[in-house]
Amino acid sequence: MCGICAGFSTEDQIKDVVEGLKKLEYRGYDSSGVAFKENGKLKTLKSVGEIKELAKKLTNVKSNIVIGHTRWATHGVVSEENAHPHLSFDRRYAIVHNGIIENHKELRQKYFAGKEFASQTDTEVFVNLIAIQNGKTINKISSACKIVKGSFAIALLDERADKIFFAKRNSPLYVAFCDGCGMAGSDISVFAGKFEECFMMGNDE
């Protein structure tokens, strides 16, 4: 079990996402991390341990589009390399993921034989599976989701788009919007004091 929190707005979202991750720490506290856009490029920052350790690294960071994750280790040891977010080989996509990709070993052999991964996680396989699909990003995600087996809730950044993409199957993911800003989280607690309403995404949405 892991926790996802993501936010987008015309204002800085680092603080809101970190606050959200603190509320989700009960879902995992081995490690945490965020991905964000800075000067048109994807950046990631990760830390082992409690969310407060990640917060120390983000003191001077600002971004209006951010995805974050707090991890309970399932695939791979507790380390910054295995902490989310994970980047695709071409560094175009960054992903955070709650769930388990049951066929990740088969996918690794079929599509990425001989490739050197940065982590031991099923999630890094997932983001690279998305990256090699055809079409627009939303179509790539849809295609990859049909190939993977298991459960997932994901938030994904594309370096070429000022958007956050979400998808889920059998893992919780709630989303809330209002006037040009929004958040997503694994638990409705992340919206407290910020949004009056939220909705749960459906399976394979």
Side-chain angles (χ1 to χ4, degrees):
M1 185 168 68
C2 301
I4 288 173
C5 185
F8 61 90
S9 174
T10 55
E11 306 295 329
D12 178 49
Q13 289 294 292
I14 292 288
K15 181 180 178 182
D16 285 349
V17 169
V18 170
E19 285 179 356
L21 290 178
K22 288 178 179 178
K23 293 176 181 178
L24 297 172
E25 206 159 19
Y26 75 93
R27 298 182 62 88
Y29 47 82
D30 290 336
S31 59
S32 59
V34 295
F36 53 93
K37 298 283 287 290
E38 183 179 76
N39 299 322
K41 297 292 183 182
L42 284 183
K43 299 289 181 69
T44 62
L45 278 174
K46 306 179 185 184
S47 182
V48 172
E50 298 178 5
I51 305 298
K52 63 183 180 182
E53 300 303 320
L54 174 67
K56 292 175 185 177
K57 295 184 177 183
L58 293 168
T59 305
N60 298 313
V61 177
K62 293 186 181 297
S63 180
N64 67 339
I65 183 165
V66 184
I67 60 174
H69 187 271
T70 182
R71 180 176 185 245
W72 181 272
T74 53
H75 292 97
V77 299
V78 177
S79 67
E80 286 193 14
E81 290 78 14
N82 287 331
H84 299 214
H86 290 288
L87 294 169
S88 56
F89 293 134
D90 60 6
R91 303 185 69 83
R92 175 177 170 179
Y93 297 105
I95 195 174
V96 292
H97 166 223
N98 172 37
I100 297 176
I101 304 305
E102 296 170 356
N103 60 336
H104 71 99
K105 290 182 180 178
E106 293 90 336
L107 295 174
R108 190 184 291 241
Q109 287 182 333
K110 181 175 181 179
Y111 295 101
F112 308 110
K115 282 280 191 179
E116 185 174 345
F117 284 76
S119 76
Q120 301 166 308
T121 67
D122 55 340
T123 304
E124 192 181 1
V125 176
F126 197 176
V127 71
N128 280 295
L129 184 67
I130 291 170
I132 64 172
Q133 303 304 306
N134 295 319
K136 297 180 180 179
T137 296
I138 192 70
N139 302 116
K140 288 173 179 269
I141 296 170
S142 179
S143 297
C145 287
K146 293 174 183 176
I147 298 171
V148 298
K149 297 177 181 178
S151 62
F152 56 83
I154 64 168
L156 180 134
L157 293 182
D158 177 355
E159 189 173 79
R160 302 177 190 175
D162 289 326
K163 298 178 180 180
I164 306 177
F165 298 87
F166 303 106
K168 68 147 283 184
R169 179 192 300 156
N170 298 329
S171 291
L173 190 60
Y174 299 86
V175 183
F177 300 100
C178 75
D179 297 335
C181 65
M183 289 189 77
S186 300
D187 188 305
I188 61 173
S189 63
V190 302
F191 308 123
K194 297 179 175 66
F195 297 89
E196 294 182 357
E197 295 181 328
C198 66
F199 66 90
M200 187 175 190
M201 288 182 60
N203 280 336
D204 296 305
E205 185 177 359

